[in-house]
């Protein structure tokens, strides 16, 4: 696979930091970006559809896929499994598309071992209070689950330094602009531009 055909981005954040809202906004304005759809054993939330947010499967099917080495990465989060299919990612990269993996820091480590060219972006909330308020506003989790997520968030955020870029999602428009700029900048790196514009470069240097 030609690693310059598309960029692989790792997007991580504690639950409630706004990463899903950010990447969905980016997808709507940048047609060269795709989101990798993961497999999970958790139950669908209200409004979610199989094959859109996730591929919802049972534990037995997930374990079968692990045995078949079908996942790029996989992890257990709380009581559920999450995994990213290798085949779908490589197909999109081959098409010259930039692919976002929305995964946690554990999955990010697995990805970097297999694909060190992956670009990591970590989203931070403006404060712990704001994070808790965002989780409560969803009205999808019990108070016990929210407190578990808050406790887990501190551990997740302690790994921010393992990423290439950090965005504080305080002002949404500013955060989105930062994310879009990162994607554009990675497409303009010298090796990428050399490949995409090889004929032009040869012509310019022909004298």
């Amino acid at each position: 696979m030609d690693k310059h055909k598309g960029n692989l981005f790792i997007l991580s954040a504690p639950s409630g930091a706004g990463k899903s809202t950010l990447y969905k906004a980016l997808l709507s304005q940048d047609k060269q970006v795709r989101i990798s759809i993961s497999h999970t054993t958790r139950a669908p939330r209200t409004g979610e559809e199989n094959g859109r947010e996730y591929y919802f499967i049972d534990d037995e099917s997930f374990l079968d896929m692990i045995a078949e080495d079908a996942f790029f990465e996989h992890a257990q989060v709380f009581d559920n499994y999450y995994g990213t299919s290798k085949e779908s990612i490589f197909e999109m990269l081959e098409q010259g598309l930039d692919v976002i993996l929305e995964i946690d820091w554990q999955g990010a480590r697995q990805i970097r071992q297999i694909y060190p060219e992956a670009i990591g972006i970590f989203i931070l909330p403006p404060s712990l209070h704001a994070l808790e308020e965002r989780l409560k506003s969803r009205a999808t989790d019990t108070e016990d689950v929210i407190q578990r997520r808050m406790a887990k968030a501190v551990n997740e955020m302690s790994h921010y330094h393992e990423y290439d870029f950090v965005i504080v999602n305080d002002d949404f428009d500013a955060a989105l602009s930062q994310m879009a700029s990162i994607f554009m900048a990675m497409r303009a790196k010298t090796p990428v531009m050399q490949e995409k514009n090889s004929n032009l470069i040869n012509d310019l240097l022909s004298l």
Side-chain angles (χ1 to χ4, degrees):
M1 183 184 66
D2 192 326
K3 65 183 179 182
H4 295 144
K5 287 188 176 180
N7 291 308
L8 183 61
F9 289 87
I10 298 169
L11 185 62
S12 302
S15 181
K19 64 182 181 297
S20 297
T21 306
L22 281 170
Y23 82 66
K24 288 176 182 177
L26 182 65
L27 289 173
S28 70
Q29 69 180 38
D30 191 332
K31 302 308 178 184
Q32 195 175 328
V33 181
R34 297 290 187 275
I35 184 72
S36 172
I37 301 175
S38 299
H39 290 70
T40 184
T41 58
R42 78 159 171 79
R45 293 173 180 158
T46 302
E48 290 183 333
E49 294 181 10
N50 186 51
R52 188 179 67 185
E53 284 80 13
Y54 289 96
Y55 294 111
F56 297 98
I57 61 176
D58 58 29
D59 285 18
E60 183 178 356
S61 298
F62 196 98
L63 294 175
D64 286 343
M65 291 184 71
I66 293 176
E68 295 166 0
D69 195 29
F71 290 126
F72 209 159
E73 59 79 33
H74 61 86
Q76 185 172 4
V77 181
F78 296 125
D79 300 322
N80 301 303
Y81 291 105
Y82 294 82
T84 305
S85 166
K86 291 179 180 178
E87 183 179 2
S88 62
I89 292 174
F90 288 143
E91 284 181 355
M92 288 186 285
L93 292 175
E94 284 283 0
Q95 295 170 18
L97 299 169
D98 289 338
V99 182
I100 297 174
L101 298 181
E102 185 190 7
I103 55 178
D104 66 8
W105 64 270
Q106 293 169 304
R109 284 185 175 180
Q110 293 180 46
I111 293 296
R112 282 191 290 269
Q113 289 176 354
I114 301 169
Y115 200 90
E117 303 93 338
I119 303 140
I121 303 174
F122 199 95
I123 309 297
L124 290 172
S127 68
L128 285 175
H129 175 72
L131 184 65
E132 185 172 9
E133 288 302 306
R134 289 174 183 176
L135 290 174
K136 289 180 177 179
S137 68
R138 288 179 175 178
T140 58
D141 295 324
T142 64
E143 182 63 27
D144 179 62
V145 171
I146 289 173
Q147 293 309 312
R148 287 171 65 191
R149 291 190 185 279
M150 288 298 298
K152 186 172 183 290
V154 175
N155 177 56
E156 290 177 326
M157 290 187 289
S158 72
H159 295 274
Y160 77 92
H161 58 88
E162 299 177 16
Y163 291 72
D164 301 292
F165 300 94
V166 176
I167 297 173
V168 177
N169 187 14
D170 187 4
D171 180 285
F172 179 80
D173 290 337
L176 177 59
S177 178
Q178 284 183 305
M179 183 179 289
S181 296
I182 292 168
F183 277 70
M184 293 298 293
M186 297 310 298
R187 293 173 195 160
K189 291 189 71 174
T190 299
V192 179
M193 297 303 287
Q194 283 177 324
E195 180 184 344
K196 289 184 177 180
N197 299 282
S198 58
N199 291 335
L200 170 63
I201 292 171
N202 289 335
D203 288 343
L204 292 172
L205 301 178
S206 61
L207 291 181

